[in-house]
Amino acid sequence: MKSVTAEWMDQVAEELFEAERQAQEVDKMTARFPQLQAENAYEIQRKLIKIKEEREQTRRSGYKLGLTSRAKQEMMGVHEPTYGVLLENMQLFEGEQVSIIPFIHAKIEPEIAFVFDKEVKGPAITTAAILDATAYIAPAMEVIDSRYRNFNFTLADVIADNSSSSRYIFGEKLYRTNEVDLRLMGMVFKKNGEIESTSAGASVMGHPARAVAWMANKLTATGQSIQPGDVVLSGALAGAVTIAPGDHFSVQFDGIGSLDITFKE
Ligand code: OOG
Ligand code: MG
Protein backbone atom coordinates (compact mmCIF):
# COMPACT_ATOMS: atom_id res chain seq x y z
CA MET A 1 0.00 0.00 0.00
CA LYS A 2 1.32 3.42 -0.93
CA SER A 3 1.88 5.75 1.99
CA VAL A 4 1.34 9.48 2.05
CA THR A 5 4.58 11.33 1.34
CA ALA A 6 5.44 14.97 2.01
CA GLU A 7 5.83 15.46 -1.76
CA TRP A 8 2.34 14.13 -2.45
CA MET A 9 0.85 16.39 0.22
CA ASP A 10 2.69 19.41 -1.26
CA GLN A 11 1.31 18.52 -4.67
CA VAL A 12 -2.26 18.19 -3.35
CA ALA A 13 -2.05 21.57 -1.58
CA GLU A 14 -0.76 23.14 -4.79
CA GLU A 15 -3.59 21.55 -6.79
CA LEU A 16 -6.26 22.81 -4.39
CA PHE A 17 -4.74 26.30 -4.46
CA GLU A 18 -4.82 26.33 -8.28
CA ALA A 19 -8.37 24.93 -8.38
CA GLU A 20 -9.57 27.91 -6.34
CA ARG A 21 -7.46 30.45 -8.24
CA GLN A 22 -8.76 29.24 -11.61
CA ALA A 23 -12.30 28.49 -10.34
CA GLN A 24 -11.93 24.99 -11.73
CA GLU A 25 -13.20 21.95 -9.84
CA VAL A 26 -10.92 18.92 -9.35
CA ASP A 27 -11.39 15.23 -8.55
CA LYS A 28 -11.51 14.47 -4.87
CA MET A 29 -8.21 13.38 -3.37
CA THR A 30 -9.59 10.12 -1.96
CA ALA A 31 -10.50 9.02 -5.50
CA ARG A 32 -6.74 8.82 -6.08
CA PHE A 33 -5.69 7.99 -2.54
CA PRO A 34 -8.51 6.19 -0.68
CA GLN A 35 -6.37 5.63 2.41
CA LEU A 36 -5.99 9.39 3.08
CA GLN A 37 -6.74 9.96 6.79
CA ALA A 38 -7.94 13.08 8.60
CA GLU A 39 -4.55 13.64 10.24
CA ASN A 40 -2.71 13.87 6.90
CA ALA A 41 -5.56 15.92 5.49
CA TYR A 42 -5.02 18.56 8.20
CA GLU A 43 -1.34 18.60 7.22
CA ILE A 44 -2.36 19.28 3.60
CA GLN A 45 -4.68 22.03 4.90
CA ARG A 46 -1.77 23.67 6.75
CA LYS A 47 0.34 23.53 3.57
CA LEU A 48 -2.52 25.08 1.57
CA ILE A 49 -2.89 27.92 4.10
CA LYS A 50 0.85 28.57 3.95
CA ILE A 51 0.68 28.84 0.14
CA LYS A 52 -2.31 31.21 0.36
CA GLU A 53 -0.63 33.41 3.01
CA GLU A 54 2.51 33.73 0.87
CA ARG A 55 1.00 34.18 -2.60
CA GLU A 56 -2.11 36.17 -1.68
CA GLN A 57 -0.23 38.29 0.87
CA THR A 58 -2.82 37.64 3.55
CA ARG A 59 -2.89 36.49 7.14
CA ARG A 60 -4.90 34.22 9.40
CA SER A 61 -7.92 35.99 10.92
CA GLY A 62 -9.46 33.04 12.75
CA TYR A 63 -11.03 29.64 12.27
CA LYS A 64 -14.23 28.03 11.06
CA LEU A 65 -16.04 24.91 12.16
CA GLY A 66 -17.68 22.69 9.56
CA LEU A 67 -20.34 20.01 9.73
CA THR A 68 -21.33 20.78 13.32
CA SER A 69 -25.09 20.42 12.77
CA ARG A 70 -27.08 17.37 11.78
CA ALA A 71 -28.61 19.36 8.90
CA LYS A 72 -25.15 19.88 7.40
CA GLN A 73 -23.83 16.39 8.15
CA GLU A 74 -26.80 14.77 6.44
CA MET A 75 -26.66 17.17 3.50
CA MET A 76 -23.00 16.35 2.82
CA GLY A 77 -22.95 12.72 3.99
CA VAL A 78 -20.03 13.41 6.33
CA HIS A 79 -20.82 12.69 9.95
CA GLU A 80 -17.96 14.31 11.85
CA PRO A 81 -17.14 17.96 12.42
CA THR A 82 -14.09 19.58 10.84
CA TYR A 83 -12.28 22.88 11.13
CA GLY A 84 -10.53 25.23 8.74
CA VAL A 85 -8.60 28.50 8.78
CA LEU A 86 -10.09 31.90 7.97
CA LEU A 87 -7.85 34.42 6.23
CA GLU A 88 -8.19 38.21 6.17
CA ASN A 89 -8.86 38.29 2.44
CA MET A 90 -11.91 36.03 2.86
CA GLN A 91 -13.86 38.64 4.81
CA LEU A 92 -16.83 40.40 3.18
CA PHE A 93 -18.56 43.48 4.57
CA GLU A 94 -22.21 44.45 4.73
CA GLY A 95 -23.32 46.73 1.94
CA GLU A 96 -20.94 45.48 -0.76
CA GLN A 97 -22.36 43.63 -3.76
CA VAL A 98 -20.43 40.40 -3.99
CA SER A 99 -19.49 39.10 -7.45
CA ILE A 100 -19.90 35.36 -7.94
CA ILE A 101 -17.32 35.31 -10.75
CA PRO A 102 -14.44 34.00 -8.58
CA PHE A 103 -16.53 31.06 -7.33
CA ILE A 104 -16.87 27.51 -8.70
CA HIS A 105 -20.32 26.55 -7.33
CA ALA A 106 -20.68 28.60 -4.17
CA LYS A 107 -23.32 28.11 -1.48
CA ILE A 108 -24.19 30.24 1.51
CA GLU A 109 -25.15 29.22 5.04
CA PRO A 110 -26.24 30.86 8.31
CA GLU A 111 -23.76 30.87 11.20
CA ILE A 112 -22.90 32.45 14.55
CA ALA A 113 -19.52 34.22 14.82
CA PHE A 114 -17.45 34.37 18.02
CA VAL A 115 -14.85 37.12 18.46
CA PHE A 116 -12.16 36.35 21.03
CA ASP A 117 -10.19 38.69 23.25
CA LYS A 118 -8.20 35.99 25.06
CA GLU A 119 -6.08 33.09 23.95
CA VAL A 120 -7.78 29.68 24.22
CA LYS A 121 -5.29 26.86 24.43
CA GLY A 122 -6.37 23.27 25.02
CA PRO A 123 -6.54 20.58 26.18
CA ALA A 124 -9.61 20.33 28.45
CA ILE A 125 -11.34 23.43 27.07
CA THR A 126 -15.02 23.52 28.05
CA THR A 127 -18.06 25.43 26.79
CA ALA A 128 -17.63 27.73 29.81
CA ALA A 129 -13.98 28.46 28.92
CA ILE A 130 -15.05 29.42 25.38
CA LEU A 131 -17.76 31.76 26.67
CA ASP A 132 -15.30 33.27 29.14
CA ALA A 133 -12.77 34.04 26.38
CA THR A 134 -15.39 35.36 23.94
CA ALA A 135 -15.58 39.15 23.69
CA TYR A 136 -18.56 39.22 21.33
CA ILE A 137 -20.91 37.17 19.20
CA ALA A 138 -22.62 38.30 16.00
CA PRO A 139 -24.82 36.95 13.21
CA ALA A 140 -22.71 35.57 10.36
CA MET A 141 -22.93 33.89 6.98
CA GLU A 142 -20.35 31.72 5.29
CA VAL A 143 -19.85 31.31 1.55
CA ILE A 144 -18.54 27.79 0.99
CA ASP A 145 -17.16 26.68 -2.36
CA SER A 146 -15.76 23.16 -2.42
CA ARG A 147 -12.96 22.77 -4.92
CA TYR A 148 -14.18 19.21 -5.61
CA ARG A 149 -16.32 18.13 -8.54
CA ASN A 150 -20.05 18.37 -7.81
CA PHE A 151 -19.37 19.54 -4.23
CA ASN A 152 -18.80 15.87 -3.39
CA PHE A 153 -16.22 14.74 -0.82
CA THR A 154 -15.34 12.52 2.14
CA LEU A 155 -14.14 13.70 5.55
CA ALA A 156 -10.44 13.65 4.54
CA ASP A 157 -11.12 15.47 1.25
CA VAL A 158 -13.02 18.33 2.84
CA ILE A 159 -10.39 18.79 5.57
CA ALA A 160 -7.62 19.08 2.97
CA ASP A 161 -9.73 21.67 1.11
CA ASN A 162 -9.80 23.89 4.23
CA SER A 163 -13.36 22.73 4.96
CA SER A 164 -14.73 24.34 1.74
CA SER A 165 -14.05 27.85 3.07
CA SER A 166 -14.36 30.71 0.61
CA ARG A 167 -15.70 33.94 2.20
CA TYR A 168 -17.29 35.01 5.47
CA ILE A 169 -19.23 37.96 6.78
CA PHE A 170 -20.33 38.86 10.28
CA GLY A 171 -22.38 41.69 11.75
CA GLU A 172 -20.56 44.72 13.07
CA LYS A 173 -23.11 45.26 15.81
CA LEU A 174 -21.52 42.96 18.36
CA TYR A 175 -23.18 41.39 21.38
CA ARG A 176 -21.99 39.99 24.70
CA THR A 177 -22.68 36.30 25.26
CA ASN A 178 -24.34 36.93 28.63
CA GLU A 179 -27.16 38.78 26.87
CA VAL A 180 -28.51 35.60 25.24
CA ASP A 181 -28.99 31.87 25.71
CA LEU A 182 -27.08 30.61 22.70
CA ARG A 183 -28.88 27.25 22.74
CA LEU A 184 -32.35 28.75 22.53
CA MET A 185 -31.50 31.60 20.21
CA GLY A 186 -33.88 31.29 17.27
CA MET A 187 -32.68 31.80 13.69
CA VAL A 188 -34.50 32.65 10.43
CA PHE A 189 -32.57 32.39 7.15
CA LYS A 190 -34.13 34.00 4.07
CA LYS A 191 -33.40 33.96 0.35
CA ASN A 192 -34.92 36.79 -1.68
CA GLY A 193 -37.33 37.57 1.16
CA GLU A 194 -38.65 34.03 1.52
CA ILE A 195 -37.88 31.79 4.47
CA GLU A 196 -35.33 29.18 3.47
CA SER A 197 -34.84 27.61 6.91
CA THR A 198 -35.37 28.15 10.61
CA SER A 199 -33.25 26.78 13.44
CA ALA A 200 -31.84 27.51 16.89
CA GLY A 201 -28.36 27.64 18.39
CA ALA A 202 -28.69 24.15 19.88
CA SER A 203 -28.62 22.68 16.35
CA VAL A 204 -24.84 23.22 16.50
CA MET A 205 -23.64 20.38 18.74
CA GLY A 206 -26.13 21.27 21.49
CA HIS A 207 -24.44 24.67 22.02
CA PRO A 208 -22.37 26.60 19.46
CA ALA A 209 -19.65 27.22 22.07
CA ARG A 210 -19.34 23.46 22.55
CA ALA A 211 -18.40 23.18 18.87
CA VAL A 212 -15.74 25.86 19.36
CA ALA A 213 -14.46 24.00 22.45
CA TRP A 214 -14.19 20.82 20.36
CA MET A 215 -11.98 22.68 17.89
CA ALA A 216 -9.85 24.35 20.58
CA ASN A 217 -9.07 20.89 21.96
CA LYS A 218 -8.34 19.50 18.47
CA LEU A 219 -5.93 22.36 17.74
CA THR A 220 -3.62 21.33 20.60
CA ALA A 221 -2.49 18.25 18.63
CA THR A 222 -0.54 20.63 16.35
CA GLY A 223 0.35 23.22 18.98
CA GLN A 224 -2.20 25.74 17.69
CA SER A 225 -4.65 27.82 19.71
CA ILE A 226 -7.35 30.46 19.32
CA GLN A 227 -5.63 33.86 19.49
CA PRO A 228 -6.93 37.16 20.89
CA GLY A 229 -8.73 38.97 18.05
CA ASP A 230 -9.64 35.76 16.22
CA VAL A 231 -13.09 35.33 14.71
CA VAL A 232 -14.46 31.78 14.81
CA LEU A 233 -17.49 30.63 12.82
CA SER A 234 -19.18 27.87 14.80
CA GLY A 235 -20.76 26.08 11.81
CA ALA A 236 -24.01 26.34 9.86
CA LEU A 237 -27.28 25.98 11.79
CA ALA A 238 -29.11 24.82 8.65
CA GLY A 239 -28.40 23.60 5.13
CA ALA A 240 -26.34 25.62 2.63
CA VAL A 241 -28.11 27.25 -0.34
CA THR A 242 -26.74 27.67 -3.88
CA ILE A 243 -26.01 31.29 -4.83
CA ALA A 244 -27.12 32.84 -8.15
CA PRO A 245 -26.38 36.39 -9.33
CA GLY A 246 -28.99 38.82 -7.98
CA ASP A 247 -29.72 36.71 -4.91
CA HIS A 248 -30.18 38.39 -1.57
CA PHE A 249 -29.78 36.51 1.70
CA SER A 250 -30.48 37.51 5.27
CA VAL A 251 -30.04 35.83 8.61
CA GLN A 252 -31.94 36.98 11.69
CA PHE A 253 -31.29 35.83 15.25
CA ASP A 254 -33.30 36.32 18.39
CA GLY A 255 -31.47 38.92 20.51
CA ILE A 256 -28.45 39.62 18.26
CA GLY A 257 -29.99 41.21 15.19
CA SER A 258 -29.60 40.39 11.52
CA LEU A 259 -27.20 40.47 8.59
CA ASP A 260 -27.74 40.89 4.83
CA ILE A 261 -25.78 40.12 1.70
CA THR A 262 -26.42 40.52 -2.05
CA PHE A 263 -24.65 38.82 -4.95
CA LYS A 264 -24.10 40.00 -8.51
CA GLU A 265 -22.68 38.52 -11.75
C1 OOG B 1 -18.07 21.62 4.38
C2 OOG B 1 -18.03 22.85 5.25
C3 OOG B 1 -19.20 22.88 6.19
C4 OOG B 1 -20.45 24.21 7.92
O1 OOG B 1 -20.69 25.31 8.44
O2 OOG B 1 -21.09 23.18 8.22
C5 OOG B 1 -19.39 24.16 6.90
C6 OOG B 1 -19.13 21.72 3.31
O3 OOG B 1 -20.31 21.54 3.60
O4 OOG B 1 -18.75 21.95 2.15
O5 OOG B 1 -18.74 25.16 6.69
MG1 MG C 1 -19.80 26.92 7.42
Side-chain angles (χ1 to χ4, degrees):
M1 193 192 286
K2 276 190 299 178
S3 62
V4 177
T5 63
E7 291 72 29
W8 187 76
M9 288 191 287
D10 285 334
Q11 192 189 313
V12 169
E14 194 68 51
E15 210 175 303
L16 288 167
F17 174 75
E18 278 303 316
E20 179 173 5
R21 200 175 68 80
Q22 298 174 28
Q24 198 80 57
E25 56 188 10
V26 295
D27 290 329
K28 57 186 175 189
M29 299 307 157
T30 55
R32 282 172 274 165
F33 211 105
Q35 57 277 51
L36 182 66
Q37 299 294 313
E39 208 179 44
N40 289 131
Y42 277 114
E43 200 170 332
I44 296 169
Q45 184 191 113
R46 287 192 295 279
K47 289 173 183 285
L48 173 62
I49 294 303
K50 199 154 171 274
I51 295 174
K52 286 173 77 81
E53 283 174 335
E54 283 169 12
R55 300 194 203 156
E56 297 173 2
Q57 292 288 298
T58 190
R59 292 183 307 182
R60 204 185 61 82
S61 53
Y63 295 101
K64 62 157 286 183
L65 278 293
L67 306 166
T68 50
S69 61
R70 188 191 289 182
K72 283 287 310 192
Q73 292 189 350
E74 285 181 356
M75 183 175 186
M76 306 319 294
V78 175
H79 298 276
E80 276 175 68
T82 66
Y83 67 84
V85 173
L86 298 177
L87 297 168
E88 277 177 359
N89 66 355
M90 295 177 181
Q91 190 177 1
L92 303 172
F93 295 92
E94 238 184 326
E96 60 178 308
Q97 296 252 325
V98 181
S99 171
I100 64 153
I101 288 171
F103 305 141
I104 303 170
H105 40 209
K107 298 181 191 181
I108 188 162
E109 51 190 24
E111 306 229 3
I112 299 165
F114 288 67
V115 180
F116 286 83
D117 63 357
K118 293 185 192 141
E119 186 187 14
V120 186
K121 203 172 169 64
I125 296 301
T126 59
T127 302
I130 295 298
L131 292 175
D132 180 56
T134 301
Y136 304 105
I137 53 168
M141 286 183 266
E142 184 181 23
V143 175
I144 51 171
D145 196 24
S146 173
R147 269 52 68 172
Y148 299 121
R149 209 170 300 291
N150 305 321
F151 230 107
N152 177 275
F153 46 71
T154 67
L155 177 70
D157 293 306
V158 69
I159 291 169
D161 188 29
N162 198 28
S163 295
S164 307
S165 72
S166 175
R167 302 286 188 276
Y168 68 96
I169 181 168
F170 64 99
E172 288 172 301
K173 170 77 181 89
L174 301 152
Y175 292 80
R176 302 281 181 191
T177 54
N178 59 8
E179 291 170 11
V180 290
D181 182 340
L182 272 153
R183 300 165 307 167
L184 299 183
M185 201 168 71
M187 185 281 303
V188 179
F189 184 47
K190 290 184 185 167
K191 174 184 168 181
N192 301 330
E194 285 189 37
I195 296 175
E196 186 67 43
S197 55
T198 59
S199 188
S203 64
V204 174
M205 287 172 80
H207 191 308
R210 198 192 300 165
V212 182
W214 171 85
M215 182 190 72
N217 290 323
K218 271 289 235 207
L219 286 173
T220 51
T222 48
Q224 296 167 275
S225 55
I226 296 171
Q227 299 292 312
D230 276 5
V231 51
V232 177
L233 297 188
S234 49
L237 291 83
V241 181
T242 300
I243 303 168
D247 278 348
H248 170 262
F249 295 89
S250 74
V251 62
Q252 264 174 288
F253 284 98
D254 187 24
I256 63 164
S258 63
L259 178 69
D260 290 79
I261 192 166
T262 306
F263 293 89
K264 63 177 183 184
E265 189 59 69

mmCIF file with all atom_site columns, all heavy atoms in Angstrom, residues 64-66 109 111 142 144 235-236, ligand 2:
data_model
loop_
_atom_site.group_PDB
_atom_site.id
_atom_site.type_symbol
_atom_site.label_atom_id
_atom_site.label_alt_id
_atom_site.label_comp_id
_atom_site.label_asym_id
_atom_site.label_entity_id
_atom_site.label_seq_id
_atom_site.pdbx_PDB_ins_code
_atom_site.Cartn_x
_atom_site.Cartn_y
_atom_site.Cartn_z
_atom_site.occupancy
_atom_site.B_iso_or_equiv
_atom_site.pdbx_formal_charge
_atom_site.auth_seq_id
_atom_site.auth_comp_id
_atom_site.auth_asym_id
_atom_site.auth_atom_id
_atom_site.pdbx_PDB_model_num
ATOM   1  N  N   . LYS A 1 64  ? -12.832 28.387 11.304 1.00 0.00 ? 64  LYS A N   1
ATOM   2  C  CA  . LYS A 1 64  ? -14.229 28.028 11.065 1.00 0.00 ? 64  LYS A CA  1
ATOM   3  C  C   . LYS A 1 64  ? -14.440 26.571 11.432 1.00 0.00 ? 64  LYS A C   1
ATOM   4  O  O   . LYS A 1 64  ? -13.549 25.741 11.245 1.00 0.00 ? 64  LYS A O   1
ATOM   5  C  CB  . LYS A 1 64  ? -14.594 28.232 9.597  1.00 0.00 ? 64  LYS A CB  1
ATOM   6  C  CG  . LYS A 1 64  ? -13.774 27.356 8.659  1.00 0.00 ? 64  LYS A CG  1
ATOM   7  C  CD  . LYS A 1 64  ? -14.439 27.126 7.340  1.00 0.00 ? 64  LYS A CD  1
ATOM   8  C  CE  . LYS A 1 64  ? -15.594 26.147 7.448  1.00 0.00 ? 64  LYS A CE  1
ATOM   9  N  NZ  . LYS A 1 64  ? -16.206 25.875 6.137  1.00 0.00 ? 64  LYS A NZ  1
ATOM   10 N  N   . LEU A 1 65  ? -15.616 26.284 11.938 1.00 0.00 ? 65  LEU A N   1
ATOM   11 C  CA  . LEU A 1 65  ? -16.041 24.907 12.157 1.00 0.00 ? 65  LEU A CA  1
ATOM   12 C  C   . LEU A 1 65  ? -16.886 24.485 10.977 1.00 0.00 ? 65  LEU A C   1
ATOM   13 O  O   . LEU A 1 65  ? -17.589 25.313 10.388 1.00 0.00 ? 65  LEU A O   1
ATOM   14 C  CB  . LEU A 1 65  ? -16.901 24.819 13.416 1.00 0.00 ? 65  LEU A CB  1
ATOM   15 C  CG  . LEU A 1 65  ? -16.279 24.747 14.802 1.00 0.00 ? 65  LEU A CG  1
ATOM   16 C  CD1 . LEU A 1 65  ? -15.551 23.447 14.986 1.00 0.00 ? 65  LEU A CD1 1
ATOM   17 C  CD2 . LEU A 1 65  ? -15.363 25.897 15.072 1.00 0.00 ? 65  LEU A CD2 1
ATOM   18 N  N   . GLY A 1 66  ? -16.834 23.213 10.628 1.00 0.00 ? 66  GLY A N   1
ATOM   19 C  CA  . GLY A 1 66  ? -17.684 22.692 9.561  1.00 0.00 ? 66  GLY A CA  1
ATOM   20 C  C   . GLY A 1 66  ? -18.410 21.464 10.040 1.00 0.00 ? 66  GLY A C   1
ATOM   21 O  O   . GLY A 1 66  ? -17.911 20.725 10.911 1.00 0.00 ? 66  GLY A O   1
ATOM   22 N  N   . GLU A 1 109 ? -24.509 29.858 3.881  1.00 0.00 ? 109 GLU A N   1
ATOM   23 C  CA  . GLU A 1 109 ? -25.145 29.222 5.037  1.00 0.00 ? 109 GLU A CA  1
ATOM   24 C  C   . GLU A 1 109 ? -25.110 30.150 6.253  1.00 0.00 ? 109 GLU A C   1
ATOM   25 O  O   . GLU A 1 109 ? -24.205 30.966 6.393  1.00 0.00 ? 109 GLU A O   1
ATOM   26 C  CB  . GLU A 1 109 ? -24.460 27.881 5.335  1.00 0.00 ? 109 GLU A CB  1
ATOM   27 C  CG  . GLU A 1 109 ? -22.950 27.977 5.451  1.00 0.00 ? 109 GLU A CG  1
ATOM   28 C  CD  . GLU A 1 109 ? -22.266 26.613 5.508  1.00 0.00 ? 109 GLU A CD  1
ATOM   29 O  OE1 . GLU A 1 109 ? -22.828 25.610 5.038  1.00 0.00 ? 109 GLU A OE1 1
ATOM   30 O  OE2 . GLU A 1 109 ? -21.152 26.572 6.049  1.00 0.00 ? 109 GLU A OE2 1
ATOM   31 N  N   . GLU A 1 111 ? -24.691 31.263 10.135 1.00 0.00 ? 111 GLU A N   1
ATOM   32 C  CA  . GLU A 1 111 ? -23.764 30.871 11.198 1.00 0.00 ? 111 GLU A CA  1
ATOM   33 C  C   . GLU A 1 111 ? -23.780 31.886 12.344 1.00 0.00 ? 111 GLU A C   1
ATOM   34 O  O   . GLU A 1 111 ? -24.298 32.991 12.196 1.00 0.00 ? 111 GLU A O   1
ATOM   35 C  CB  . GLU A 1 111 ? -22.328 30.803 10.647 1.00 0.00 ? 111 GLU A CB  1
ATOM   36 C  CG  . GLU A 1 111 ? -22.191 29.918 9.424  1.00 0.00 ? 111 GLU A CG  1
ATOM   37 C  CD  . GLU A 1 111 ? -21.056 28.924 9.495  1.00 0.00 ? 111 GLU A CD  1
ATOM   38 O  OE1 . GLU A 1 111 ? -20.374 28.863 10.540 1.00 0.00 ? 111 GLU A OE1 1
ATOM   39 O  OE2 . GLU A 1 111 ? -20.863 28.203 8.499  1.00 0.00 ? 111 GLU A OE2 1
ATOM   40 N  N   . GLU A 1 142 ? -21.559 32.203 5.945  1.00 0.00 ? 142 GLU A N   1
ATOM   41 C  CA  . GLU A 1 142 ? -20.346 31.720 5.290  1.00 0.00 ? 142 GLU A CA  1
ATOM   42 C  C   . GLU A 1 142 ? -20.662 31.340 3.851  1.00 0.00 ? 142 GLU A C   1
ATOM   43 O  O   . GLU A 1 142 ? -21.664 30.668 3.586  1.00 0.00 ? 142 GLU A O   1
ATOM   44 C  CB  . GLU A 1 142 ? -19.761 30.505 6.017  1.00 0.00 ? 142 GLU A CB  1
ATOM   45 C  CG  . GLU A 1 142 ? -18.442 30.097 5.346  1.00 0.00 ? 142 GLU A CG  1
ATOM   46 C  CD  . GLU A 1 142 ? -17.737 28.906 5.926  1.00 0.00 ? 142 GLU A CD  1
ATOM   47 O  OE1 . GLU A 1 142 ? -18.380 28.063 6.575  1.00 0.00 ? 142 GLU A OE1 1
ATOM   48 O  OE2 . GLU A 1 142 ? -16.516 28.807 5.690  1.00 0.00 ? 142 GLU A OE2 1
ATOM   49 N  N   . ILE A 1 144 ? -19.416 28.964 1.160  1.00 0.00 ? 144 ILE A N   1
ATOM   50 C  CA  . ILE A 1 144 ? -18.544 27.789 0.991  1.00 0.00 ? 144 ILE A CA  1
ATOM   51 C  C   . ILE A 1 144 ? -18.484 27.457 -0.498 1.00 0.00 ? 144 ILE A C   1
ATOM   52 O  O   . ILE A 1 144 ? -19.458 27.688 -1.233 1.00 0.00 ? 144 ILE A O   1
ATOM   53 C  CB  . ILE A 1 144 ? -19.026 26.572 1.817  1.00 0.00 ? 144 ILE A CB  1
ATOM   54 C  CG1 . ILE A 1 144 ? -20.513 26.271 1.581  1.00 0.00 ? 144 ILE A CG1 1
ATOM   55 C  CG2 . ILE A 1 144 ? -18.751 26.794 3.302  1.00 0.00 ? 144 ILE A CG2 1
ATOM   56 C  CD1 . ILE A 1 144 ? -20.978 24.965 2.211  1.00 0.00 ? 144 ILE A CD1 1
ATOM   57 N  N   . GLY A 1 235 ? -20.175 27.098 12.693 1.00 0.00 ? 235 GLY A N   1
ATOM   58 C  CA  . GLY A 1 235 ? -20.763 26.083 11.813 1.00 0.00 ? 235 GLY A CA  1
ATOM   59 C  C   . GLY A 1 235 ? -22.220 26.400 11.508 1.00 0.00 ? 235 GLY A C   1
ATOM   60 O  O   . GLY A 1 235 ? -22.935 26.996 12.329 1.00 0.00 ? 235 GLY A O   1
ATOM   61 N  N   . ALA A 1 236 ? -22.661 25.992 10.316 1.00 0.00 ? 236 ALA A N   1
ATOM   62 C  CA  . ALA A 1 236 ? -24.007 26.336 9.856  1.00 0.00 ? 236 ALA A CA  1
ATOM   63 C  C   . ALA A 1 236 ? -25.088 25.699 10.729 1.00 0.00 ? 236 ALA A C   1
ATOM   64 O  O   . ALA A 1 236 ? -24.974 24.539 11.117 1.00 0.00 ? 236 ALA A O   1
ATOM   65 C  CB  . ALA A 1 236 ? -24.177 25.925 8.405  1.00 0.00 ? 236 ALA A CB  1
HETATM 66 MG MG  . MG  B 2 .   ? -19.800 26.921 7.422  1.00 0.00 ? 2   MG  B MG  1
#
